[in-house]
Amino acid sequence: MPVPFKSGFVSIVGKPNVGKSTLMNRLMGEQLSIITPKAQTTRHRIMGILNSEDYQIVYSDTPGILEPQYALHSAMMTYVKVSLEDADVILLVVELGEKYDALLFERFTRIQTPILLVINKIDQAKGSQVHDKIEHWKEHLPNVTQIITVSARDGVNTKELLDTVVGMMPEHPAYFPKDEFTDRTERFFASEIVREKIFLNYEQEVPYSTEVSITSFKEEEKIIRIRAEIYVERDSQKGIIIGKAGSALKKLGMDARADMENFFQKKIFLETHVKVADDWRKHQNKLKHFGYLE
């Protein structure tokens, strides 16, 4: 008797900087979501489509859950809301040292969708810390289907997590063609690679005030020619991005080009320009221009 095909949507959610993107990349076997040590790196909902002979899992990596302070945050939380509404299974990711926050987690006590609570970063555990944290989350979120402890960075227990997710998927035909692995375009990933390098190369508020737009993406037989426009909120930030005699921008471009060549498996010509969009995070029309609002 043939094995029934399973397919469904899995929402990966949690507070900023708990390793959600690392976990999705690990489950996918592909680096789809950018990863930096800084919180709030993920701004969009990024789907990763994992295909097998017997199943198709559509993961959604979402922005970290937070209380919105301005329009960009509100748009980011809309992605989380839609992802939760679509989900057949929710992976609620917390890190080892994290505690229950009623303001952010109370909503999960009312959700009917099955929830797997994933305690990440167990490679940092000492003594009885893992056991103590499992008991802590059982007390505060008694409705979760199961608690699984992992190290997304090292791959500890991620195979067991995948097997559990597959077992919870409904019987359903594939939602996407079998040769697709994401819903995002090549332009999107080019912009995310540039944005990742901004987070890694600059400090304080600058990365959070920056947006990247790919205005040209021309693929030829042996090379892809890309033009990226980097937007900041103030003139002073423009100077920081460019650096003395253009040194900072040059390094950013070199780092981004190297990752793009690895990602696209082609030679990359990358042209970067820096522009100012005053207080873009606070204005609906500017957010719409950058693709955050329909």
Side-chain angles (χ1 to χ4, degrees), residues 188-227:
F188 174 81
F189 287 109
S191 70
E192 285 289 274
I193 288 170
V194 175
R195 203 165 61 81
E196 179 186 58
K197 301 313 171 190
I198 293 170
F199 268 83
L200 294 173
N201 278 283
Y202 300 90
E203 298 297 330
Q204 299 176 338
E205 182 67 12
V206 171
Y208 299 102
S209 300
T210 305
E211 184 54 63
V212 178
S213 177
I214 302 299
T215 57
S216 179
F217 189 103
K218 297 178 179 178
E219 186 166 4
E220 301 172 10
E221 185 179 352
K222 295 182 179 180
I223 192 171
I224 303 175
R225 302 181 187 276
I226 299 171
R227 176 189 168 100

Side-chain angles (χ1 to χ4, degrees), residues 48-291:
I49 305 165
L50 183 64
N51 291 294
S52 167
E53 289 185 5
D54 304 326
Y55 62 80
Q56 181 182 83
I57 299 174
V58 185
Y59 293 108
S60 287
D61 184 20
T62 60
I65 300 171
L66 47 76
E67 282 298 302
Q69 296 179 7
Y70 35 73
L72 174 61
H73 283 167
S74 296
M76 289 160 58
M77 291 309 95
T78 298
Y79 294 139
V80 176
K81 180 176 182 291
V82 172
S83 175
L84 291 173
E85 290 171 351
D86 290 345
D88 295 291
V89 174
I90 296 168
L91 299 188
L92 176 55
V93 184
V94 299
E95 65 175 356
L96 187 66
E98 192 172 341
K99 294 182 179 180
Y100 178 78
D101 181 338
L103 184 65
L104 298 180
F105 290 123
E106 195 273 334
R107 75 189 77 183
F108 293 99
T109 65
R110 303 190 302 271
I111 290 176
Q112 300 301 310
T113 305
I115 298 173
L116 292 178
L117 181 73
V118 181
I119 302 177
N120 189 25
K121 305 185 182 181
I122 61 168
D123 52 287
Q124 302 173 7
K126 297 178 181 179
S128 64
Q129 194 174 11
V130 172
H131 174 268
D132 294 344
K133 284 298 176 181
I134 290 173
E135 295 304 311
H136 172 83
W137 288 104
K138 280 182 178 177
E139 176 185 350
H140 291 285
L141 288 175
N143 60 308
V144 299
T145 303
Q146 189 174 337
I147 297 177
I148 298 178
T149 60
V150 306
S151 170
R153 186 193 67 180
D154 298 337
V156 176
N157 292 343
T158 52
K159 175 62 168 61
E160 290 79 356
L161 174 59
L162 173 60
D163 291 343
T164 302
V165 169
V166 171
M168 298 173 71
M169 289 291 94
E171 292 183 20
H172 194 280
Y175 287 94
F176 295 91
K178 286 296 199 74
D179 59 350
E180 289 190 16
F181 71 99
T182 183
D183 65 325
R184 292 292 184 170
T185 65
E186 291 178 323
R187 281 178 179 248
F188 174 81
F189 287 109
S191 70
E192 285 289 274
I193 288 170
V194 175
R195 203 165 61 81
E196 179 186 58
K197 301 313 171 190
I198 293 170
F199 268 83
L200 294 173
N201 278 283
Y202 300 90
E203 298 297 330
Q204 299 176 338
E205 182 67 12
V206 171
Y208 299 102
S209 300
T210 305
E211 184 54 63
V212 178
S213 177
I214 302 299
T215 57
S216 179
F217 189 103
K218 297 178 179 178
E219 186 166 4
E220 301 172 10
E221 185 179 352
K222 295 182 179 180
I223 192 171
I224 303 175
R225 302 181 187 276
I226 299 171
R227 176 189 168 100
E229 292 185 349
I230 299 170
Y231 288 87
V232 292
E233 292 189 310
R234 297 186 296 277
D235 280 322
S236 59
Q237 294 169 340
K238 180 178 179 180
I240 293 171
I241 292 287
I242 295 172
K244 186 177 180 180
S247 58
L249 186 62
K250 182 179 179 180
K251 182 180 185 301
L252 167 67
M254 291 173 62
D255 292 350
R257 187 173 68 249
D259 270 18
M260 287 181 188
E261 289 182 343
N262 183 56
F263 186 87
F264 294 114
Q265 291 296 295
K266 268 192 177 182
K267 185 173 177 60
I268 299 292
F269 174 80
L270 176 63
E271 183 182 348
T272 55
H273 299 269
V274 185
K275 297 184 175 183
V276 177
D278 294 328
D279 292 329
W280 67 265
R281 291 180 293 176
K282 300 177 182 179
H283 298 292
Q284 300 281 335
N285 62 329
K286 293 177 182 177
L287 290 172
K288 188 172 183 179
H289 171 75
F290 289 132

